[in-house]
Every structure is written in C-alpha cells, then in structure tokens.
Amino acid sequence: MSEIVLKGIPAAPGIAHGPSFILDKGEFIVPRRCVSSSEIDSEIARFEEAIQNSRQEVQALKAKIIQDMGPVQARIFDAHLMVLQDATLIDGVIAGIRETKTSAEYVFLGVIKKFVEVFARMPDEYLRERASDISDISKRVLKHLMDESKLHDLDSLQDDLIIVAHELSPSDAVSMYNKKIKGFLTDIGGRTSHTAIIAKSLGVPAVVGLKDATLRINNQDYVIIDGQKGLAIINPRAETKELYIKEQHKITASLEKLDDLKNLPAETLDGKKISILANLELSLEIPAVRKYGAEGVGLYRTEFLYMNRLDLPTEEEQFKAYSRVAEAVAPFGVTIRTLDIGGDKFISSIQIPRDMSPFLGYRAIRFCLERPDIFKTQLRAILRASVHGRILMMYPMISGLGELRQANAILNQVKTALRDEKIPFDEQLKVGVMIEIPAAVMMAESLACETDFFSIGTNDLVQYTLAVDRVNEKTAHLYEPAHPGVLKMIQKTIDAGHNEGIHVAICGEMASDPLLAFLLLGMGIDEFSMSAASILTVKRMIRSVKMQDAQRTAYEAMQLSTGQEIEEFVDNQLRKLLPS
C-alpha cells in the first residue's frame, strides 16, 4: 500500500509507531424493528434496564478515576449521569415506544439525535459542548440495548495502540489514563483540547487537527506519529519506518543522557544561573515536575479546576488543590495564575455569551473584575494555601495600571476579611503581572513600580502583537515568535522590569524551544517556565553556552529585519556552540 502523509497540529512531542485503532468511525446502524402490543411493556423494561446498567458503568468509571486521578478529573462524568437521569429524554423514549410500537433502540436513537441536533445549534459554547456528552453516553446505552459490545470500547483495550478519532470526548480522554496507548490522532482539536492535555500527562505524542484522519486510516493500519512536526504517516515505506525507528532511538538515547542533568543547576559556562520551572495544568503532572528536576512551578493554570464540571469549585476544593501542589513542589515555589477563561477556554458552569472575537472579549482579568464573587473565592483559597508552601500569584491579561489596581483592591479586601476571621496567610505573598498585551508592554515601566514580578506570556503576546489567532490553523504560518516586533516587545518588558529591580520570567511556548530560549537568555530573561518534558533539553543548552555568547547573539539578532532571518542566524550561532 502506498505511503500517505497527513499534516496536522502538533499537540504533544515525540515519535510513536504501531497499529491504529479507530475509536469512533461511523455510528451504530439501528434497524427499525416493530414490536407487538403485548411486547411494549417488556421493551420499556429493557430500555430502563439499559439506562440503569449505563448509569452503573459511568458511576464505576467515575469512582475509578477518583481513585486514580482525583475528584476534579472525575467531575466530567457528572454531565453523563445527568443525561441518563433526564426525565424529558427517558419519558420521550417510553412514549415513543408506546406510540410507534417499535424497538427501544430505534426510538432511543431517534430521540437522542434530536437532542444532539438541538444542542449542536446552541449559540452558547458550553451547551454546544454538551452535544458531545449526549452523543457519547448514547453509544453506551445502545451497546446494552443491542447486546453488542463495541469494538472500540476503551475498557477492553489490551495492546499497545495508536488511537485515531474524530474527536475525543472527555470520558474517552480520561479513560486512556493507565491504558496501553502509544499516542493518538484526531480530526479536530487544538493545542488546548482534551487530547493535548491528556497526551502531555501520559507522556505520549499526539497530533490534532488532521481533518480527515478517520477517513484516511483504517483499523490496524501501521501508523507513525511525529508529534514534533505534526505528522501522521500511514502505511509508511520500509525506509520511512526505519528512519523514524532510528530517530526514536536517538531521542530515547538523548533523553537518557539528559537525565544526568536533572539535579544539576541551569548555569552557563561562565557562571550565570537561570531558573527553570514547569508549567502545570493538572495535578497528574506533578510527578513529571519532580522527574525532570523543575525548580518549582512557574505557571499553574487554575482554570482546569473549573472545567468539565456542572458547578464552580468551592473555596475549600481550591484551597486543598493549591495546598497539595505547593506541598508537592516544596521547597520550591509555585506561581498560581488567577482564573483565565475565555479565548479558547470556557467554563461549563458559567453561562458566558459567545464573543464574535473571543480572544479580544470577555476573558481573564476582565471576567474576574466583573465577577468579584468568583474572584474573591479563588483569592481566599490562594491566600489560605500560601501558608502551606511558597506560593506566588499573578494576574493574566493586565493591560494597564487601572486593572492592576482594581485587582489589588479586591485582593486587599480579601486579606482584610481573612485577618478579621483570624485565618492565617502569607502577608508577604508576592503578586505579579502577566505581560501578554502590547498595551502592557508600553506601560511596563509603570506596572513594574506596582508589582513584584513580571511573567511574559508569549503565546498571547505573539498573537496580539501580530494580529494572528493562535488557534486558527489557516493563519498558523503567520504565528512568528521571532518576529522583530515581538522581540522588541519582550526586550522592552525585560528592561523595564530590571530597571525597577523586579524579576522577569517567561512562561509561553517560546521558553521550551532551545533555539528561542538561547535568544531569550541573551536578552536577559531571569526564569523560564515550560512543559516539564522540555526542561532537560533547555537546561542542556544553557549549561553548554556562555552568557556572553548568548548576549552577543541576541544583540546581533535584534539588528535583523525579519523573523526568518533571526531564526536562521540564532540557529547557526547555536549550532557552532552546540553542534549536537
């Protein structure tokens, strides 16, 4: 068979190869079957039994996830249980069986399709997402009604496989935990999808946004995943397969060598010490933070505590979550970013109208200032947790002094309330600002006077500086982190921070790229925070160069005119210093 190469969006790095497994290709085919009047009651009983069995399965799966991963991750099954208890759905099926005198599975499928269609057309993002939950749970019910075990049931997976799906439902994604999964490919999705999050947690490569992978790949096709380049290679030629196997061995050997660096400092050959920390989304990733020798957590994305659940996390839940992370990374610190929703991240339990331009709309600190009730709950939890480890806090998407002062005013109200209640917290808690908007860069000198540190969020800063939607694959080629305009924004922020004597960190994807990290090192960044798996590669680069070489390279690169010229120049300089 001829080799086929599909190009998608890299979601998790690495190389994997092996037989494919189509998770959800096509739908159940449910033939119309008539029942007699005398069979109606037994048909209804069969339907009710299928609902009950499905409930028990979901409850058992939820209990297992609570045990393996924790209660926060298990909350994604609440929506499934609600579907299985929905009176409108159940009564509609029962009435349909009586009226049409057709089988339970046929009537159920007809009712559920109407539900999915209605939800899929909803303007609200959260309600549209529920269409996926309804479709997902319907397949479980149909499996019982038809007495037919699905071939792609994740619970029965035994072999090391590459999962291929149009998309991954929350339950599918979480069910992959502790399964023998080599990697996965999806037709749709972005870098912040369930696929990407779970892939990074599992430490397996993934490519998303492949558009038609489920149409081009068949069960048991031999597939190679290149998670670095975002490629899926179907039925590779012998030479392609051999090339990737060799590359995978090189990566494995290289990572084994890097492991020796885990407990060594990130220090240049001429003695400049740099801090390297990890970004954290889920508590599942804490072992990786330790494994790769991170000096703490430089970005804890708290919005994942709020997602895929039907209610808001309580103050106590958040307090326990933040305390666990702080205690787990001690004696190092954890920098907690306050709630950052909107853009490409939404909270199920809050009904927010869909923006025409979500990245420019009601998100991050703007949302928190509009909803001080939600903001204060989180701030109380963070402050209470601050006595259980070294915690820092930062506000996302600050555009100027007005927002910073408003946020700090609410923070001071919360501090006063805790003092009145005799609840302890770290009175010296450091509060920083994320620099993600060009306006914040232009106000950096003023902001630096009223904050304890800066953390540059390059993912959004690049997006806003270049007017390029970072999750739109049509403009992906215009997303250029080394663009001179972006670099000047970063340099201005670093200089403003240092002039006021404050620490400047970087926590976007630029930090995890050794080439760009070399450039940022020369520009004067104090701290890098990145995905845990990237830490040792960047540390090796830092320990292999002199600070003066990085500074010279950065200065000369900043004289160039285009991003491409800058990347090529820095690449050439780094290869001279670090040929391997």
Side-chain angles (χ1 to χ4, degrees):
M1 298 178 69
S2 60
E3 176 179 291
I4 301 172
V5 180
L6 305 180
K7 180 74 171 78
I9 299 169
I15 291 170
H17 51 91
S20 63
F21 185 84
I22 309 300
L23 181 62
D24 190 10
K25 191 170 184 178
E27 299 180 349
F28 272 106
I29 299 173
V30 182
R32 181 183 177 91
R33 179 173 61 84
C34 296
V35 298
S36 65
S37 298
S38 62
E39 294 175 312
I40 287 177
D41 288 343
S42 62
E43 200 66 18
I44 291 172
R46 200 166 64 85
F47 166 66
E48 291 174 336
E49 183 181 8
I51 290 288
Q52 182 60 30
N53 288 338
S54 297
R55 280 184 200 150
Q56 291 173 355
E57 284 182 356
V58 174
Q59 287 167 343
L61 184 56
K62 181 179 178 181
K64 185 177 186 302
I65 296 304
I66 290 174
Q67 181 180 352
D68 291 346
M69 300 171 66
V72 174
Q73 286 76 20
R75 284 183 176 273
I76 64 176
F77 297 104
D78 290 346
H80 289 194
L81 289 171
M82 285 189 70
V83 174
L84 291 168
Q85 295 166 2
D86 188 276
T88 303
L89 173 68
I90 294 171
D91 292 346
V93 174
I94 292 174
I97 293 171
R98 293 190 186 281
E99 291 169 10
T100 64
K101 294 184 179 179
T102 49
S103 67
E105 59 266 26
Y106 188 82
V107 175
F108 174 74
L109 185 60
V111 172
I112 209 75
K113 280 185 175 180
K114 290 178 182 177
F115 269 65
V116 171
E117 288 170 3
V118 169
F119 276 79
R121 291 197 301 268
M122 293 283 189
D124 181 83
E125 179 74 18
Y126 165 64
L127 294 177
R128 284 203 306 275
E129 289 176 356
R130 299 289 66 76
S132 175
D133 287 323
I134 295 170
S135 180
D136 188 45
I137 200 63
S138 70
K139 293 166 188 174
R140 191 177 291 274
V141 176
L142 285 169
K143 181 181 70 175
H144 288 292
L145 284 170
M146 299 177 73
D147 192 26
E148 179 179 319
S149 183
K150 290 176 69 175
L151 291 175
H152 66 258
D153 192 348
L154 281 169
D155 295 336
S156 64
L157 286 183
Q158 298 296 326
D159 300 323
D160 291 335
L161 298 165
I162 289 173
I163 300 297
V164 184
H166 179 65
E167 63 178 329
L168 287 172
S169 71
S171 63
D172 282 341
V174 178
S175 294
M176 288 182 181
Y177 187 65
N178 286 338
K179 299 295 182 184
K180 294 182 177 180
I181 308 296
K182 283 189 168 184
F184 34 97
L185 308 168
T186 61
D187 292 337
I188 63 175
R191 297 177 191 272
T192 57
S193 64
H194 289 290
T195 310
I197 296 165
I198 298 299
K200 289 172 183 173
S201 297
L202 295 175
V204 298
V207 179
V208 300
L210 287 161
K211 298 178 182 175
D212 59 355
T214 52
L215 298 177
R216 307 286 291 276
I217 302 174
N218 297 305
N219 264 322
Q220 296 301 306
D221 276 351
Y222 194 91
V223 177
I224 294 173
I225 298 179
D226 185 333
Q228 189 69 33
K229 296 179 181 177
L231 301 178
I233 304 170
I234 310 163
N235 300 315
R237 295 190 299 269
E239 54 267 33
T240 303
K241 185 176 175 181
E242 184 179 353
L243 178 68
Y244 269 99
I245 289 174
K246 287 181 179 178
E247 187 63 27
Q248 187 179 36
H249 288 159
K250 283 183 184 178
I251 292 172
T252 302
S254 178
L255 290 175
E256 288 174 353
K257 290 180 181 178
L258 289 176
D259 194 55
D260 296 336
L261 301 176
K262 182 175 70 173
N263 297 317
L264 297 177
E267 185 175 322
T268 64
L269 294 173
D270 48 358
K272 175 65 176 178
K273 176 74 169 61
I274 302 295
S275 298
I276 301 186
L277 292 80
N279 294 342
L280 188 75
E281 286 86 17
L282 302 171
S283 58
L284 287 171
E285 296 171 285
I286 290 175
V289 173
R290 297 196 193 100
K291 175 182 176 182
Y292 294 109
E295 299 175 55
V297 174
L299 169 62
Y300 180 10
R301 296 183 171 104
T302 58
E303 54 273 11
F304 286 93
L305 291 172
Y306 293 71
M307 290 182 175
N308 298 317
R309 55 187 294 166
L310 302 173
D311 57 353
L312 290 167
T314 64
E315 178 186 327
E316 195 64 24
E317 282 181 84
Q318 293 185 67
F319 162 70
K320 289 178 180 177
Y322 305 148
S323 298
R324 278 197 299 268
V325 173
E327 290 167 354
V329 302
F332 300 115
V334 53
T335 301
I336 299 176
R337 180 176 72 184
T338 59
L339 183 59
D340 183 6
I341 62 162
D344 57 346
K345 299 185 292 291
F346 298 90
I347 291 179
S348 303
S349 51
I350 303 173
Q351 300 303 305
I352 300 176
R354 180 71 172 178
D355 282 330
M356 289 287 287
S357 301
F359 280 105
L360 301 177
Y362 188 50
R363 61 166 296 203
I365 198 65
R366 299 170 181 177
F367 170 83
C368 290
L369 295 178
E370 287 289 326
R371 291 294 305 268
D373 54 326
I374 294 174
F375 194 31
K376 285 181 178 180
T377 298
Q378 182 178 38
L379 294 177
R380 283 180 62 92
I382 293 171
L383 287 168
R384 287 175 56 201
S386 66
V387 297
H388 290 267
R390 190 161 70 85
I391 287 178
L392 299 84
M393 186 181 76
M394 60 185 179
Y395 305 124
M397 206 181 172
I398 292 291
S399 63
L401 282 171
E403 289 170 337
L404 174 59
R405 289 170 178 171
Q406 286 181 64
N408 279 337
I410 294 173
L411 177 64
N412 288 330
Q413 291 173 17
V414 173
K415 287 181 176 180
T416 299
L418 289 175
R419 292 188 193 105
D420 292 343
E421 297 170 45
K422 301 293 191 291
I423 296 176
F425 64 90
D426 180 6
E427 292 278 1
Q428 305 303 316
L429 177 80
K430 291 189 180 298
V431 180
V433 167
M434 289 199 72
I435 303 295
E436 304 173 277
I437 301 175
V441 176
M442 302 311 293
M443 293 295 295
E445 290 85 357
S446 300
L447 289 169
C449 296
E450 299 191 23
T451 194
D452 294 318
F453 64 92
F454 284 156
S455 185
I456 305 174
T458 55
N459 297 354
D460 273 335
L461 184 60
V462 175
Q463 169 176 251
Y464 293 133
T465 301
L466 300 181
V468 175
D469 184 343
R470 62 185 171 91
V471 298
N472 186 336
E473 58 192 51
K474 293 180 180 178
T475 57
H477 64 289
L478 299 174
Y479 189 85
E480 195 174 18
H483 188 288
V486 173
L487 296 182
K488 288 178 182 178
M489 290 274 181
I490 293 173
Q491 190 66 68
K492 179 175 174 59
T493 302
I494 295 170
D495 293 344
H498 288 173
N499 287 340
E500 288 298 326
I502 68 170
H503 191 79
V504 182
I506 196 155
C507 61
E509 287 302 307
M510 284 180 71
S512 62
D513 183 326
L515 185 151
L516 296 174
F518 178 53
L519 179 60
L520 293 165
L521 174 67
M523 292 169 68
I525 283 290
D526 302 306
E527 172 185 302
F528 293 90
S529 189
M530 63 195 72
S531 60
S534 302
I535 287 174
L536 296 180
T537 303
V538 174
K539 181 184 283 190
R540 178 173 179 263
M541 179 276 294
I542 291 172
R543 290 181 57 84
S544 302
V545 302
K546 292 181 179 179
M547 187 64 185
Q548 62 184 28
D549 289 329
Q551 290 171 330
R552 174 185 52 78
T553 298
Y555 174 79
E556 293 179 14
M558 295 289 280
Q559 314 309 310
L560 301 174
S561 303
T562 70
Q564 183 177 346
E565 290 174 356
I566 290 172
E567 286 204 34
E568 290 175 353
F569 173 75
V570 176
D571 184 57
N572 288 333
Q573 296 301 306
L574 188 56
R575 287 180 185 278
K576 290 177 184 176
L577 299 168
L578 189 58
S580 59

